[in-house]
Amino acid sequence: MKGSMPACSAIGDVDRVVVLDTGAILAGLQLRLPDRAVATELVIDEVKDEQSRTLLERSIEAQKLVVLSPDPAYLSDAIAYARSAGTAGRLSRADLSVIGMALELRGCGKEVVVATDDYAVQLTAVAAGLPVIPVRYPGVREARRRTPSGQSK
């Protein structure tokens, strides 16, 4: 499935995109990445404290972070991967939106990585063949031992 035209054009002419979950945003990862960072509207809605909101707004203004929402078809794909990974009951709507957005951007022909410390999100990303960047803690063994295509190293 190809990524949607709005999502593909919103990220611009970059080769690699990092999709951030709430934990990655709270850690300020978007400010330290050389790559284009993307977060979903549901992730942004989870950022509540004033200091984090201020950093978030600065990141968006400085074009270090693009805020998008995944197409419903990719959310359905994310749910299917969550079911196959056995994580469906542990993922929030925001978590599923991260996976859905990563799948959609991969459909744009971009190298896509998911940045998260959430174990269930990591397992789902691996099931979908998406590479994972742990934010503060070591990643799950399954994520560290697998290539982006899902094959063991």
Side-chain angles (χ1 to χ4, degrees), residues 28-50:
L29 188 62
Q30 71 277 11
L31 298 171
R32 300 188 310 263
L33 288 171
D35 303 307
R36 179 65 48 97
V38 173
T40 68
E41 290 182 21
L42 290 174
V43 165
I44 299 302
D45 289 345
E46 289 187 338
V47 178
K48 303 290 185 194
D49 70 279
E50 188 174 333

Side-chain angles (χ1 to χ4, degrees), residues 78-108:
I79 292 167
Y81 282 116
R83 285 185 182 129
S84 72
T87 57
R90 294 182 286 170
L91 296 175
S92 69
R93 289 177 54 228
D95 295 336
L96 289 167
S97 75
V98 168
I99 300 298
M101 193 75 255
L103 293 169
E104 184 168 356
L105 293 172
R106 182 172 67 184
C108 297

Side-chain angles (χ1 to χ4, degrees), residues 32-144:
R32 300 188 310 263
L33 288 171
D35 303 307
R36 179 65 48 97
V38 173
T40 68
E41 290 182 21
L42 290 174
V43 165
I44 299 302
D45 289 345
E46 289 187 338
V47 178
K48 303 290 185 194
D49 70 279
E50 188 174 333
Q51 181 180 3
S52 296
R53 294 278 323 164
T54 300
L55 283 176
L56 183 60
E57 290 167 14
R58 286 185 187 152
S59 301
I60 294 168
E61 289 169 7
Q63 298 180 346
K64 297 287 286 175
L65 180 68
V66 177
V67 181
L68 300 170
S69 291
D71 183 275
Y74 290 97
L75 281 176
S76 294
D77 291 346
I79 292 167
Y81 282 116
R83 285 185 182 129
S84 72
T87 57
R90 294 182 286 170
L91 296 175
S92 69
R93 289 177 54 228
D95 295 336
L96 289 167
S97 75
V98 168
I99 300 298
M101 193 75 255
L103 293 169
E104 184 168 356
L105 293 172
R106 182 172 67 184
C108 297
K110 307 296 181 185
E111 177 187 349
V112 180
V113 179
V114 175
T116 182
D117 279 334
D118 185 305
Y119 184 75
V121 175
Q122 289 180 1
L123 288 176
T124 306
V126 168
L130 296 163
V132 173
I133 297 173
V135 178
R136 294 182 185 176
Y137 307 103
V140 295
R141 276 183 253 150
E142 293 87 342
R144 286 184 277 147

